[in-house]
Amino acid sequence: MTTNGAAQYPAPAALGEGKVAVVSGASTGIGEATVERLRTSGWTVYAVARREERLTDLARRTGALPVPTDITDQAQVDALRDRVLAEQGTVDAVLNISGGARGTDAVADADVDGWQWMYEVNVLGTLRVIRAFLPALRANGEGTVLNLTSIAAQRAYEGGGGYNAAKYAERAMTEALRLEEAEHNVRVVDIAPGLVHTPEFSLRRLGGDQEAADRVYEGVEKPLTGRDVAEVCAFAVELPHHVDIDTLVLKPVAQAAPHKVIRTGR
């Protein structure tokens, strides 16, 4: 649509009107913020996570549809798909925000259980959700898969081997999916954040040690927030469908590179 030769775009509140999204990892952090952001644009959003009480609160605040689901359980993922398609008949976008890290052990000292958890959630959990919804995304004609990876999927670092391995694998799966699904007009997006200050990511990674988690962000004047990343995710899925944000890396200005973070007072 144009007026006097200038392109006119829908108002933000109308960008997602009539569209259906599934967002995993919705109980906290980036996933929660992404649900909030999409709801402001009029999307019907299915908020997916394990913690029912968090989803209930999110639904009360935003009008999202809560679906408690463990994405490492195939039966639960199948039930999620069946509910969405029974209620909506279609899905326009699946945003795989679920993920996480456990530990900072060196490869020589690797905690196999922690590494397995990271692979199950970041890779196989994402795979289960994609595989469940892919037929519906194809049938939609303009479906989108968005996977939240990380700069850890692009650059390894000491103490990050397990998380690097999981996120590298998720990124590889995303790239393969893009090649395989282009002929079905399924758009595949990779959003790769750097340092994001969320309530739980570092806390869980460091075994619940709040002081250690706080030190991750200490002196960083403005790390990214969950809302910053959610804004980028929404931008990617609300662009005209022929525009694919192939891979988008976002970092705070203070993080010039994965290994270089400017901290004040040091």
Side-chain angles (χ1 to χ4, degrees):
M1 177 179 177
T2 61
T3 302
N4 297 326
Q8 301 294 307
Y9 296 96
L15 285 170
E17 187 175 353
K19 292 189 175 181
V20 179
V22 175
V23 179
S24 70
S27 62
T28 189
I30 297 170
E32 179 182 17
T34 300
V35 171
E36 294 171 343
R37 172 60 180 78
L38 291 177
R39 287 293 300 139
T40 66
S41 289
W43 289 74
T44 295
V45 181
Y46 285 81
V48 177
R50 290 179 296 108
R51 290 177 290 181
E52 184 172 3
E53 70 283 358
R54 295 284 189 94
L55 295 182
T56 299
D57 178 65
L58 180 62
R60 179 186 56 79
R61 290 187 286 109
T62 67
L65 300 169
V67 189
T69 305
D70 181 349
I71 64 168
T72 68
D73 185 315
Q74 187 64 52
Q76 293 188 43
V77 172
D78 290 345
L80 165 67
R81 174 203 59 209
D82 292 346
R83 175 179 166 183
V84 172
L85 297 183
E87 294 178 356
Q88 305 298 329
T90 189
V91 63
D92 296 279
V94 174
L95 295 89
N96 293 296
I97 310 297
S98 285
R102 291 292 185 272
T104 58
D105 44 313
V107 173
D109 304 312
D111 173 14
V112 174
D113 290 340
W115 282 51
Q116 183 168 343
W117 182 91
M118 287 185 278
Y119 198 85
E120 283 285 347
V121 173
N122 292 282
V123 185
L124 298 183
T126 298
L127 170 63
R128 287 187 178 94
V129 175
I130 291 171
R131 190 174 60 180
F133 283 100
L134 202 51
L137 290 166
R138 291 172 175 174
N140 179 286
E142 290 192 345
T144 298
V145 174
L146 183 149
N147 291 341
L148 189 82
T149 62
S150 169
I151 59 172
Q154 302 174 10
R155 185 76 61 85
Y157 55 91
E158 293 168 292
Y163 188 55
N164 290 138
K167 284 299 183 182
Y168 266 81
E170 186 179 16
R171 177 187 172 200
M173 177 175 63
T174 304
E175 292 181 352
L177 182 70
R178 185 179 298 115
L179 294 170
E180 294 163 356
E181 293 304 318
E183 66 184 276
H184 301 294
N185 204 36
V186 174
R187 177 170 59 178
V188 179
V189 179
D190 174 9
I191 302 298
L195 185 65
V196 186
H197 192 174
T198 60
E200 296 186 359
F201 179 86
S202 291
L203 184 65
R204 289 187 168 194
R205 183 175 199 173
L206 297 170
D209 186 334
Q210 187 65 63
E211 289 186 9
D214 290 343
R215 285 195 295 271
V216 174
Y217 312 101
E218 187 177 5
V220 181
E221 185 176 353
K222 290 185 178 181
L224 296 178
T225 67
R227 289 187 177 184
D228 293 330
V229 182
E231 192 66 37
V232 172
C233 291
F235 173 73
V237 300
E238 291 179 343
L239 281 169
H241 187 77
H242 71 282
V243 182
D244 184 9
I245 301 294
D246 184 315
T247 301
L248 190 153
V249 176
L250 65 154
K251 306 188 302 294
V253 173
Q255 187 179 32
H259 62 282
K260 182 174 182 178
V261 178
I262 306 304
R263 300 179 187 271
T264 59
R266 291 192 176 185

